[in-house]
Amino acid sequence: MNADAQPRGNDLRYQALFDSLDEGFCIIEFLDGPHGPLSDYIHIEANAAYARHAGIPNVVGQKVREMVPDEAAGWVELYGGVLRTGEPIRFQRELVATGRHLELAAFRLEPASLRQVAVLFQDITARKRAEDELRQLNATLEARVAEALAERRLLAEIVEGTDVFVQVVDRDFRWLAVNRASAREFQRIYGVLPRVGDSMLDLLADRPEHQRALRAIWQRALDGEEFVEIGEFGDPDRDRRSYEMRFSTLRNADGKPIGAYQFVYDVTERLAEQRRLRIAEEALRQSQKMEAVGQLTGGLAHDFNNLLAGITGAFELIRSRLAQGRSEDVERYLTAGLGAARRAASLTHRLLAFSRRQTLSPKPIVINRLMADLSELVRRTVGPSIEVETVAAAGLWPAMVDANQLENALLNLCINARDAMPDGGRITLETANKWLDERTASERGLTPGQYVTVCVSDTGTGIDKAIIDRVFDPFFTTKPTGQGTGLGLSMVYGFARQSDGHVRIYSEPGQGTMVCIYLPRHLGAEKAEAPPAPAPASNSAASATVLVVDDEPTVRMLIVDSLSDRGYACLEAGDGADALRLLRSDAHIDLMVTDVGLPGGLNGRQVADAAWETRPDLRVLFVTGYADNAVLSHGHLAPGMEVLTKPFTIDELVRRVEKMLSARTARSDTARSDAAK
């Protein structure tokens, strides 16, 4: 073997052993430096575990004063002592730069002239932390035990001293715990004082009815159910009281049921107070209803008295002039009387809108289609000093709504907005799609779902928060006497509610007001406009017969006379039964004009439905003072049916009759033509 091969083999074995050590290992060599002789050292060798334990990689060639300048002096002093004395040392120290706690051993390499020290070390940070925690735990254990005992004692005193009834039982219905209040209440009710260890069932053995009731309710908790019940207990001949009982299951560390516990509150007085509160609230609501009725009837009487004075005064003057043979002023009095009658009709229309009884003809429509004409109407109405802006949402959903009544409602809102801006301002008409979740819908008094909104906002004076909750009340107005009826907003409210929607108002004094009408989204398609009906044939009246059904003789007389003057043959009936007899006879009848509300057990809709069984081509015109939605199917009338709202003009009645008969004639002609083909 070559003589040089043996040292090289030893070096390789040494290097392999050096690198396989689990502990960190390094050799440092001391240097003279700016801080004096042997005041620094450099790492000349280090194994792979050095970086793992110390947290500093690539240390070979690095000087300690460059690696950890803030703590280098301490390390130089420790290892310098080993170099000077030749005595090995073992110690623990934190390497502050990396936060590692190290356990180290150092010894000098001979000869001393090499100025080298070997260091073997390992990271003991985890062990050090555990030791510190254990030391802290031992230091505080006595205090924590005392604190826990005090806490348990305090809790026991609270449970024992509380008025809440607390009981704990095992699966055999034996008390594991029962506080003083609960034991005394049990004794008051059942005449026996329970103690820990007693069996609930044994104590009530002579009261089987109470025993069964308590067994049943406790068994639910023992079976794992947690629940709250309110019940009344006690001797019927003595004081019976109400209790709120909260039952829970008692489980061991594995979650297995081992018993049940109960917290019971005497709620007798609370329930009595709630009953008194409900009675008081009902009395308050009744008082508010009577106040509202009084306000409504008072305002109604005031306005109608004014209108009736104009109507009766006009008729009295007409009679006086005719008796005197003077006719020159009759036309003026007629105009005044008719004007007062029309204002009375408008007043009843607003009242019906408020009461949600106006006659509506809802159709699916995209409200944006109304905005152009409506904004132009609003501009003409409010005048040049007010800017009118329209914001129409893209992709607006259809809504099922009476377009004419919606326009009336929006025009009312715009007029209110104009009156709130005497010095000019801006009105904004805005549409939008809204999807209301349960919380938002509840806040707005609506059903959750999709809605189309139409909002009117202004930059006016706003509304005081003290009165904003009253603005929808009938006859409530902030305008000076004679400048407002107080029915505008109540009409808007009634229209929205009758359309299955709602109306909301937002206002800030000095900033303006916004009123939004919410209408349910219609999921079907928008209904196309029907083509105009053909002009009535000139001889349509000659062969047409109209059945007039109304229980009011004056109204029936006026309808019959006006239609007879146009050449129609008329039959009359005062109630539903008489009308059905005529409809089931051989009499020729083309159209029935009927009131909705009729005496005798049959309303106008029932008469029409019965008539269609034998006369499927019969046209029906309902005339009504208010719309009973159940009778008129919520505005969804079958083809061949229409509604005319009282009061109506004679010309309006005749036009509607001619239109319906003309449509019937046109359909008959088409049918004959198809049959001829």
Side-chain angles (χ1 to χ4, degrees):
M1 179 179 290
N2 192 319
D4 294 332
Q6 185 174 358
R8 284 198 299 271
N10 291 337
D11 290 344
L12 291 173
R13 283 194 296 274
Y14 166 75
Q15 187 65 43
L17 177 63
F18 184 68
D19 288 335
S20 65
L21 286 173
D22 288 335
E23 291 82 2
F25 181 77
C26 67
I27 297 175
I28 60 176
E29 183 176 308
F30 274 81
L31 306 170
D32 297 333
H35 295 82
L38 305 177
S39 62
D40 200 353
Y41 61 79
I42 187 171
H43 293 77
I44 60 173
E45 287 191 56
N47 69 347
Y50 185 105
R52 187 167 65 252
H53 286 276
I56 302 176
N58 304 318
V59 296
V60 175
Q62 292 194 54
K63 297 177 181 179
V64 69
R65 291 195 179 272
E66 294 173 352
M67 290 170 51
V68 287
D70 293 338
E71 50 185 312
W75 293 105
V76 168
E77 182 180 354
L78 282 168
Y79 295 142
V82 174
L83 179 64
R84 287 190 300 272
T85 65
E87 294 292 330
I89 61 171
R90 297 182 66 86
F91 65 98
Q92 293 180 2
R93 185 180 178 92
E94 181 183 7
L95 182 58
V96 179
T98 61
R100 304 286 182 93
H101 287 273
L102 306 177
E103 186 175 64
L104 308 102
F107 57 92
R108 186 175 68 188
L109 295 181
E110 300 298 341
S113 59
L114 293 175
R115 301 202 294 185
Q116 293 178 352
V117 175
V119 182
L120 186 68
F121 65 94
Q122 63 178 341
D123 182 3
I124 61 167
T125 304
R127 190 180 79 194
K128 188 73 172 176
R129 184 180 299 118
E131 290 173 352
D132 290 344
E133 289 176 354
L134 180 60
R135 189 162 45 252
Q136 184 178 5
L137 178 64
N138 290 332
T140 60
L141 179 58
E142 184 177 349
R144 289 190 296 110
V145 168
E147 183 181 344
L149 290 175
E151 182 180 345
R152 285 173 178 261
R153 186 165 53 252
L154 176 61
L155 183 60
E157 290 174 355
I158 291 173
V159 171
E160 185 64 19
T162 183
D163 291 335
V164 178
F165 310 140
V166 183
Q167 299 184 54
V168 186
V169 301
D170 63 15
R171 297 193 63 81
D172 295 325
F173 297 92
R174 293 188 179 278
W175 275 287
L176 298 175
V178 55
N179 72 339
R180 183 168 53 247
S182 183
R184 289 176 177 173
E185 190 69 6
F186 191 95
Q187 183 182 33
R188 189 191 69 79
I189 297 174
Y190 301 113
V192 58
L193 182 67
R195 291 182 173 84
V196 172
D198 288 345
S199 168
M200 181 184 299
L201 302 183
D202 291 347
L203 290 183
L204 296 177
D206 60 340
R207 298 169 179 250
E209 182 180 347
H210 295 302
Q211 185 191 66
R212 283 194 300 271
L214 286 180
R215 179 197 289 270
I217 198 167
W218 275 99
Q219 190 63 54
R220 291 168 58 189
L222 291 170
D223 290 341
E225 182 180 354
E226 300 194 358
F227 59 96
V228 178
E229 280 204 1
I230 294 179
E232 192 176 62
F233 291 88
D235 192 329
D237 298 330
R238 300 169 62 188
D239 181 27
R240 287 180 64 83
R241 302 188 70 80
S242 298
Y243 303 90
E244 179 183 275
M245 301 170 288
R246 297 177 176 269
F247 287 87
S248 299
T249 304
L250 182 66
R251 302 177 186 273
N252 62 15
D254 298 328
K256 181 181 177 181
I258 59 172
Y261 59 94
Q262 173 198 68
F263 289 89
V264 180
Y265 306 85
D266 187 335
V267 295
T268 306
E269 295 303 325
R270 189 179 79 189
L271 294 180
E273 183 62 29
Q274 289 175 352
R275 285 192 293 270
R276 288 192 292 269
L277 181 60
R278 283 196 297 270
I279 294 171
E281 287 176 344
E282 183 59 34
L284 177 61
R285 281 194 295 269
Q286 188 64 27
S287 173
Q288 291 171 335
K289 286 180 184 178
M290 295 307 297
E291 182 181 355
V293 169
Q295 183 181 8
L296 177 63
T297 54
L300 188 61
H302 173 269
D303 285 4
F304 263 106
N305 279 336
N306 288 339
L307 296 170
L308 287 173
I311 295 171
T312 57
F315 277 113
E316 288 175 0
L317 286 172
I318 290 171
R319 183 174 63 181
S320 174
R321 292 295 188 269
L322 291 177
Q324 297 170 6
R326 298 164 55 190
S327 60
E328 64 273 11
D329 292 327
V330 168
E331 184 64 31
R332 183 159 61 94
Y333 298 145
L334 282 173
T335 300
L338 285 173
R342 291 191 187 99
R343 290 194 297 277
S346 176
L347 179 60
T348 58
H349 173 75
R350 289 169 178 260
L351 286 169
L352 289 172
F354 166 73
S355 65
R356 310 176 206 173
R357 293 299 187 99
Q358 65 179 327
T359 304
L360 298 180
S361 299
K363 294 180 178 61
I365 186 172
V366 175
I367 295 173
N368 283 349
R369 304 193 195 288
L370 307 175
M371 299 304 282
D373 291 341
L374 178 62
S375 60
E376 183 58 33
L377 175 60
V378 171
R379 286 188 183 92
R380 292 198 305 268
T381 303
V382 301
S385 64
I386 295 177
E387 177 188 354
V388 178
E389 181 182 9
T390 302
V391 181
L396 193 69
W397 298 324
M400 178 69 73
V401 65
D402 186 319
N404 290 333
Q405 297 303 330
L406 176 62
E407 288 179 337
N408 286 341
L410 294 174
L411 187 58
N412 258 307
L413 295 177
C414 291
I415 291 173
N416 280 352
R418 176 201 64 188
D419 294 343
M421 299 183 290
D423 300 324
R426 183 176 67 255
I427 293 175
T428 302
L429 294 158
E430 184 174 1
T431 61
N433 295 327
K434 299 283 186 182
W435 197 317
L436 304 185
D437 59 21
E438 187 168 351
R439 181 182 63 83
T440 308
S442 176
E443 291 173 353
R444 287 163 171 74
L446 293 166
T447 303
Q450 296 172 321
Y451 289 84
V452 177
T453 62
V454 193
C455 298
V456 176
S457 58
D458 63 61
T459 57
T461 56
I463 301 173
D464 193 319
K465 294 194 181 298
I467 62 172
I468 196 167
D469 291 336
R470 300 180 58 198
V471 295
F472 294 117
D473 292 349
F475 296 105
F476 178 80
T477 180
T478 58
K479 298 176 183 177
T481 303
Q483 294 187 21
T485 63
L487 284 173
L489 284 177
S490 62
M491 182 272 287
V492 174
Y493 177 84
F495 161 73
R497 297 300 282 166
Q498 191 177 356
S499 302
D500 296 325
H502 212 320
V503 60
R504 300 283 293 176
I505 186 167
Y506 315 88
S507 187
E508 287 292 335
Q511 300 296 317
T513 301
M514 173 186 285
V515 182
C516 291
I517 299 174
Y518 287 75
L519 299 168
R521 176 187 182 182
H522 177 68
L523 296 177
E526 183 181 15
K527 186 174 181 180
E529 288 292 330
S538 58
N539 61 348
S540 62
S543 59
T545 301
V546 179
L547 171 60
V548 180
V549 187
D550 201 303
D551 61 307
E552 177 56 49
T554 303
V555 175
R556 194 168 66 245
M557 175 196 71
L558 291 173
I559 295 175
V560 168
D561 287 355
S562 60
L563 293 179
S564 297
D565 286 347
R566 267 67 173 184
Y568 294 102
C570 293
L571 301 174
E572 297 183 48
D575 57 35
D578 288 345
L580 272 183
R581 279 193 289 272
L582 289 171
L583 289 165
R584 289 171 178 168
S585 70
D586 295 332
H588 176 75
I589 300 174
D590 300 286
L591 171 71
M592 178 172 67
V593 179
T594 178
D595 192 5
V596 174
L598 294 173
L602 286 174
N603 60 46
R605 180 59 187 262
Q606 291 171 326
V607 172
D609 290 342
W612 273 13
E613 294 177 4
T614 55
R615 298 174 183 263
D617 294 332
L618 180 70
R619 296 279 165 154
V620 180
L621 176 61
F622 294 106
V623 291
T624 179
Y626 71 92
D628 187 330
N629 275 337
V631 172
L632 296 182
S633 300
H634 301 275
H636 303 289
L637 297 175
M641 290 183 175
E642 292 190 18
V643 179
L644 182 62
T645 305
K646 298 177 183 176
F648 49 81
T649 65
I650 297 301
D651 288 343
E652 187 178 3
L653 169 69
V654 172
R655 278 197 302 272
R656 189 70 70 88
V657 168
E658 288 178 347
K659 172 188 169 186
M660 295 183 71
L661 288 174
S662 176
R664 181 177 187 274
T665 303
R667 191 173 69 174
S668 299
D669 292 344
T670 301
R672 284 195 295 271
S673 174
D674 292 342
K677 292 178 182 178

